[in-house]
């Protein structure tokens, strides 16, 4: 894990407003996403974050830090 | 430089240090939680009702519910928590108990009695056995009229809070005799400056109630000037938002840096911020009345200018608090431009709750600037945008900070370990996500004109036109958010209840708050001159309010042009009103 489980949950929670607002922002450019499309997009973003978090870091020291709280 | 904590008390919890005060604080916190529980549940009822997802009350009773929600959350929940925190702050930072604990209990009990009177008189709107009516919403605008018990209860509650302030001042005076040459410790400074503007602003609402509304509801006078009582309400109504916010700010200044593993970036800057709030909280209330006829545009413009100045202390706070968190993170080994964020204690619900509350407050600052602009306010005035805005401010920046703080304070004042830190972390995250959904949808509905304070915004022969998505989607989003918020509320209360059943623990952290990188000795002594700042605040209020009040009285008369009271449920059957409204609508 690159970051602690707690931190991962926080990152996912903070993603939610971005996904929600993204839909509004896109409509400014004439791109209207349906709810389903937004959900899929949000799901992909969450998946990407989770993958990034659990991917073994390339042995750099940062990994040790994150666990401590 | 670090503020030196008394070494004799190192390692002790608040309960060990001040057992008598801890009891009062615990009682105040529980009063606050009870208001939160009832008020929050009513919020769910409203959200589901308005969006027509689920209606289990009669629309005619909607205002009773909404009055209870507004009063219990915006007044009772927040202020009970505040008096608890400030009592903690004053005693902890002065390292001495209150002067007379009986006096402390007396103001607490007075506030409880006031709350019960207000609560019961509101409840009378739906319970036939109680012959009262107070469906006046938390703003109690005339000509809506409440039962006298409602006003009397409010007065008792406010006077109780005045006495609480007197208690903190007495404690500080006693301390000053023992420590004549010392600077006021920062937490006490924060509590005292906040109390001062509370005195200043509540004078307006006391005047409005005691001179006009209460005699009017008792039948002693038979008319009031609605614009005058409204203006007096907002004279208090803006400052009260800072009254709720100041304990949250205090937590961000003195707890967040500590939790992040560091120190407060600057004590002088924090003092400047609280002085600015003392000066500017009150002479801005007219910004809630941009749409009121009868107040000249010029006065509204002055209120707007003052309001924009008020952004300054909040921006200073954002800077100081983030700088302190970065300092803490780097102390914990964080590195990099943004990489230090990873070194923050995100698994700690107290930290995470407060940090997310701060984040939402930043968003609220943006919608607040829209509200504050005189012309653009016309777009959002009285729409659900405003409701979306203040659920980010008082409903999250304040409420979530308080809940997160409770995870630290309840163990401190009870000597019991928090039942579940994991549940607590989950709770603050669910609240954050729930509020994201609810508040975003509320803001967006406001933009297409969805009104606030109405039970059934489903109009016939008229369709709202959202810029994005459909009204149905937006309603679903509100309902989803409200359900998540209620779940978060239940998680919070469960944790609090279970914590109080826990065994006593002796592995609790000591009762401390953050030291400072730049301490009080770096700040000019004039900052501590409370008399000077109060005098300037009074002058600003006189400048901001004399002319508008004079012209309101001049044009409408002190007691108005024969405005009788209007009681929603007693004089008219609202169901009939709704029926007749339906008939005239095409
Ligand atoms: C469970 C969480 C909550 C839910 C579901 C909720 C829901 C709502 C809804 C739907 C309204 C709008 C009613 C209308 O315009 O017709 C409302 C109004 C309001 N809410 Fe909340 N709310 C919650 C928590 C809070 C909290 C924590 C606070 C403050 C600490 C708060 C303060 C207020 C106030 C002051 C109003 C305005 C009342 C009025 O217009 O007179 N709410 N709430
Ligand atoms: Cu305001």
């Amino acid at each position: 894990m690159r970051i602690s489980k707690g931190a991962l949950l926080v990152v996912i929670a903070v993603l939610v407003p971005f996904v929600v607002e993204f839909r509004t922002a896109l409509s400014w450019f004439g791109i209207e996403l349906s709810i389903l499309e937004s959900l899929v997009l949000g799901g992909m973003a969450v998946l990407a974050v989770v993958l990034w978090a659990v991917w073994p870091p390339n042995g750099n020291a940062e990994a040790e830090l994150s666990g401590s709280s | 430089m670090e503020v030196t904590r008394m070494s004799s008390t190192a390692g002790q919890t608040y309960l060990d240090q001040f057992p008598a005060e801890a009891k009062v604080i615990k009682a105040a916190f529980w009063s606050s939680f009870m208001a939160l529980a009832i008020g929050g549940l009513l919020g769910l009822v409203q959200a589901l009702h308005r969006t027509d997802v689920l209606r289990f009350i009669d629309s005619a009773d909607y205002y009773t519910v909404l009055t209870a929600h507004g009063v219990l959350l915006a007044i009772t929940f927040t202020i009970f928590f505040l008096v608890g925190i400030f009592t903690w702050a004053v005693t902890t930072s002065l390292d001495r108990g209150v002067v007379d604990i009986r006096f402390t209990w007396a103001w607490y009990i007075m506030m409880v009695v006031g709350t019960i009177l207000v609560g019961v008189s509101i409840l009378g709107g739906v319970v036939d056995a109680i012959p009262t009516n107070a469906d006046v919403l938390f703003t109690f605008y005339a000509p809506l009229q409440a039962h006298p018990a409602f006003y009397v209860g409010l007065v008792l509650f406010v006077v109780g809070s005045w006495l609480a302030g007197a208690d903190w001042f007495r404690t500080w005076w006693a301390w000053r005799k023992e420590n004549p040459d010392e600077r006021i410790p920062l937490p006490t400074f924060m509590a005292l400056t906040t109390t001062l503007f509370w005195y200043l602003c509540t004078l307006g609402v006391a005047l409005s109630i005691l001179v006009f509304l209460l005699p009017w509801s008792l039948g002693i006078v038979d008319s009031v000037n609605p614009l005058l009582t409204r203006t007096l309400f907002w004279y208090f109504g803006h400052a009260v938002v800072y009254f709720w916010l100041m304990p949250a700010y205090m937590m961000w200044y003195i707890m967040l840096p500590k939790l992040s593993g560091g120190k407060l970036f600057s004590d002088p800057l924090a003092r400047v911020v609280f002085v600015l709030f003392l000066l500017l909280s009150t002479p801005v209330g007219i910004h809630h009345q941009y749409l009121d006829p009868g107040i000249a545009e010029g006065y509204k413009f002055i209120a707007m200018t003052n309001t924009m100045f008020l952004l300054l202390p909040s921006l200073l706070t954002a800077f100081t608090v983030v700088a302190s968190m970065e300092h803490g993170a780097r102390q914990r080994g964080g590195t990099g431009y943004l990489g230090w964020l990873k070194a923050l204690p995100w698994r700690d619900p107290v930290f995470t709750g407060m940090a997310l509350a701060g984040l939402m407050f930043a968003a609220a600052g943006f919608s607040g600037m829209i509200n504050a602009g005189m012309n653009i306010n016309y777009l959002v005035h009285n729409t659900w945008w405003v409701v979306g805005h203040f659920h980010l401010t008082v409903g999250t920046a304040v409420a979530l900070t308080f809940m997160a703080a409770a995870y630290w304070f309840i163990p401190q004042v009870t000597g019991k370990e928090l039942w579940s830190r994991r549940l607590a972390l989950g709770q603050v995250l669910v609240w954050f996500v729930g509020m994201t959904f609810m508040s975003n949808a509320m803001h967006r509905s406001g933009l297409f004109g969805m009104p606030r304070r109405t039970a059934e915004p489903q109009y016939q022969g008229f369709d709202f036109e959202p810029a994005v998505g459909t009204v149905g989607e937006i309603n679903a989003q509100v309902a989803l958010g409200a359900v998540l918020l209620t779940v978060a509320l239940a998680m919070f209360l469960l944790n609090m209840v279970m914590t109080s059943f826990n065994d006593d623990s002796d592995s609790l952290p000591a009762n401390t708050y953050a030291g400072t990188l730049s301490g009080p000795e770096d700040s000019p002594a004039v900052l501590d001159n409370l008399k000077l700042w109060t005098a300037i605040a009074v002058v600003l209020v006189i400048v901001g309010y004399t002319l508008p009040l004079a012209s309101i009285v001049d044009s409408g008369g002190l007691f108005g042009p024969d405005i009788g009271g209007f009681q929603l449920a007693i004089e008219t059957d609202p169901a009939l009103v709704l029926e007749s409204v339906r008939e005239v609508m095409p």
Side-chain angles (χ1 to χ4, degrees):
Chain A
M1 290 282 287
R2 285 172 200 258
I3 53 176
S4 67
K5 265 195 210 138
L8 176 60
L9 277 180
V10 174
V11 173
I12 293 173
V14 172
L15 260 182
V16 175
F18 283 97
V19 174
V20 171
E21 298 288 355
F22 187 60
R23 182 162 175 249
T24 319
L26 271 188
S27 78
W28 268 70
F29 304 99
I31 306 168
E32 302 218 352
L33 296 183
S34 69
I35 298 257
L36 192 68
E37 287 163 335
S38 315
L39 279 179
V40 170
L41 219 84
M44 275 164 26
V46 170
L47 199 68
V49 169
V50 172
L51 279 180
W52 169 81
V54 298
W55 214 259
N58 329 322
N60 62 22
E62 259 181 1
E64 319 304 41
L65 263 182
S66 49
S68 57
S69 85
Chain B
M1 291 285 298
E2 190 172 3
V3 179
T4 37
R5 306 249 45 75
M6 305 301 290
S7 49
S8 61
T9 54
Q12 291 191 307
T13 61
Y14 187 80
L15 181 67
D16 302 330
Q17 291 172 284
F18 302 107
E21 284 80 357
K23 282 211 185 78
V24 189
I25 296 176
K26 192 173 83 178
F29 283 163
W30 273 103
S31 313
S32 158
F33 299 160
M34 268 153 65
L36 179 65
I38 303 171
L41 208 61
L42 297 179
L44 179 67
V45 172
Q46 290 159 204
L48 298 181
H49 191 95
R50 280 189 50 125
T51 54
D52 203 9
V53 172
L54 194 64
R55 289 191 165 152
F56 40 81
I57 56 164
D58 198 18
S59 286
D61 293 331
Y62 187 78
Y63 287 121
T64 308
V65 171
L66 188 54
T67 306
H69 179 77
V71 171
L72 284 178
L73 291 173
I75 308 287
T76 319
F77 158 64
T78 49
I79 297 181
F80 267 122
F81 204 86
L82 177 147
V83 293
I85 278 204
F86 278 9
T87 305
W88 166 85
V90 169
T91 47
T92 298
S93 66
L94 299 179
D95 200 30
R96 83 185 303 292
V98 297
V99 176
D100 183 350
I101 194 75
R102 285 169 305 181
F103 184 71
T104 310
W105 278 110
W107 58 249
Y108 167 72
I109 290 169
M110 193 163 181
M111 290 173 70
V112 171
V113 173
T115 305
I116 292 174
L117 273 182
V118 170
V120 171
S121 49
I122 296 174
L123 205 65
V126 284
V127 179
D128 289 338
I130 309 173
T132 56
N133 173 286
D135 297 340
V136 292
L137 306 183
F138 80 106
T139 42
F140 47 90
Y141 292 148
L144 287 181
Q145 194 182 56
H147 189 272
F150 176 82
Y151 302 112
V152 172
L154 280 182
V155 169
L156 285 180
F157 186 81
V158 169
V159 173
S161 74
W162 286 352
L163 297 179
D167 203 4
W168 305 322
F169 266 97
R170 277 176 82 189
T171 310
W172 170 58
W173 286 326
W175 174 87
R176 202 173 48 173
K177 277 213 195 83
E178 299 151 8
N179 305 273
D181 301 318
E182 279 192 56
R183 295 297 292 263
I184 311 173
L186 186 60
T188 300
F189 182 84
M190 292 171 164
L192 296 182
T193 43
T194 305
T195 304
L196 285 170
F197 79 68
W198 180 242
Y199 285 149
L200 189 62
C201 76
T202 41
L203 279 180
V205 79
L207 192 74
S208 165
I209 293 180
L210 291 175
V211 178
F212 302 109
L213 297 174
L214 182 58
W216 174 65
S217 84
L218 286 168
I220 299 171
V221 297
D222 46 30
S223 169
V224 290
N225 179 344
L227 185 57
L228 179 60
T229 48
R230 246 171 108 88
T231 307
L232 288 172
F233 177 84
W234 284 115
Y235 169 88
F236 145 90
H238 185 80
V240 73
V241 315
Y242 285 107
F243 192 56
W244 311 321
L245 202 57
M246 288 308 103
Y249 269 34
M250 177 193 272
M251 292 294 102
W252 300 349
Y253 274 107
I254 69 177
M255 300 302 281
L256 264 187
K258 184 188 79 173
L259 299 168
S260 318
K263 292 177 182 174
L264 175 62
F265 187 69
S266 163
D267 167 297
L269 212 52
R271 282 177 208 253
V272 169
V273 165
F274 277 75
V275 165
L276 283 173
F277 280 124
L278 165 56
L279 297 184
L280 289 173
S281 288
T282 316
V284 292
I286 289 178
H287 70 208
H288 291 265
Q289 298 176 283
Y290 286 148
L291 242 68
D292 277 21
I295 299 179
E297 297 292 287
Y299 305 138
K300 295 178 182 170
F301 189 83
I302 294 174
M304 174 172 80
T305 316
N306 284 344
T307 306
M308 295 302 173
F309 275 114
L310 255 183
L311 281 173
L312 185 68
S314 287
L315 293 175
L316 286 175
T317 300
F319 168 78
T320 318
V321 172
V322 175
S324 312
M325 276 164 45
E326 179 177 348
H327 168 75
R330 294 197 190 280
Q331 295 299 304
R332 294 162 61 98
T335 50
Y337 194 59
L338 285 175
W340 57 269
L341 282 170
K342 283 196 286 187
L344 289 170
W346 294 109
R347 283 193 300 190
D348 178 359
V350 186
F351 170 83
T352 301
M354 289 187 193
L356 292 181
L359 196 65
M360 285 220 145
F361 191 59
F366 289 106
S367 61
M369 278 185 247
I370 308 278
N371 302 343
M374 249 172 99
N375 49 355
I376 200 162
N377 177 279
Y378 297 168
L379 176 71
V380 296
H381 201 93
N382 269 341
T383 68
W384 240 16
W385 166 282
V386 176
V387 183
H389 163 76
F390 63 64
H391 279 87
L392 292 182
T393 55
V394 67
T396 298
V398 174
L400 187 55
T401 300
F402 286 3
M403 288 187 275
Y407 293 135
W408 189 83
F409 275 102
I410 287 294
Q412 283 295 321
V413 295
T414 58
K416 297 173 186 215
E417 193 148 8
L418 184 65
W419 183 59
S420 167
R421 275 167 61 99
R422 289 179 144 205
L423 184 67
L425 182 63
Q427 188 267 331
V428 299
L429 294 176
V430 174
W431 187 279
F432 178 83
V433 172
M435 196 53 91
T436 299
F437 283 126
M438 188 170 94
S439 161
N440 167 276
M442 284 175 163
H443 277 99
R444 282 161 57 203
S445 359
L447 287 180
F448 58 76
M450 174 78 78
R452 66 184 280 202
R453 291 184 159 175
T454 176
E456 297 183 10
Q458 287 82 25
Y459 305 114
Q460 281 156 4
F462 167 79
D463 287 316
F464 289 111
E465 286 179 26
V468 193
T470 62
V471 176
E473 277 169 28
I474 289 180
N475 280 340
Q477 198 180 312
V478 169
L480 171 66
V483 168
L484 288 176
L485 285 168
T486 312
V487 169
L489 198 63
M491 291 162 84
F492 171 74
L493 292 166
L494 175 70
N495 219 345
M496 287 296 113
V497 170
M498 296 310 285
T499 300
S500 50
F501 287 127
N502 249 352
D503 294 333
D504 290 346
S505 157
D506 41 31
S507 59
L508 291 171
N511 176 35
T512 55
Y513 56 90
T516 52
L517 285 175
S518 158
E521 62 286 347
D522 295 336
S523 68
V526 66
L527 280 178
D528 285 15
N529 189 339
L530 298 180
K531 285 193 188 120
L532 171 71
W533 301 120
T534 310
I536 300 179
V538 170
V539 170
L540 286 178
V541 163
I542 293 174
V543 170
Y545 266 101
T546 312
L547 289 179
L549 283 177
S551 86
I552 289 168
V553 173
D554 194 42
S555 56
L558 256 188
F559 288 90
D562 198 17
I563 305 289
F566 177 77
Q567 296 199 346
L568 217 51
I570 293 178
E571 294 187 353
T572 42
D573 181 352
L576 291 179
V577 176
L578 282 178
E579 276 314 309
S580 57
V581 169
R582 280 206 197 96
E583 275 162 23
V584 292
M585 301 268 282

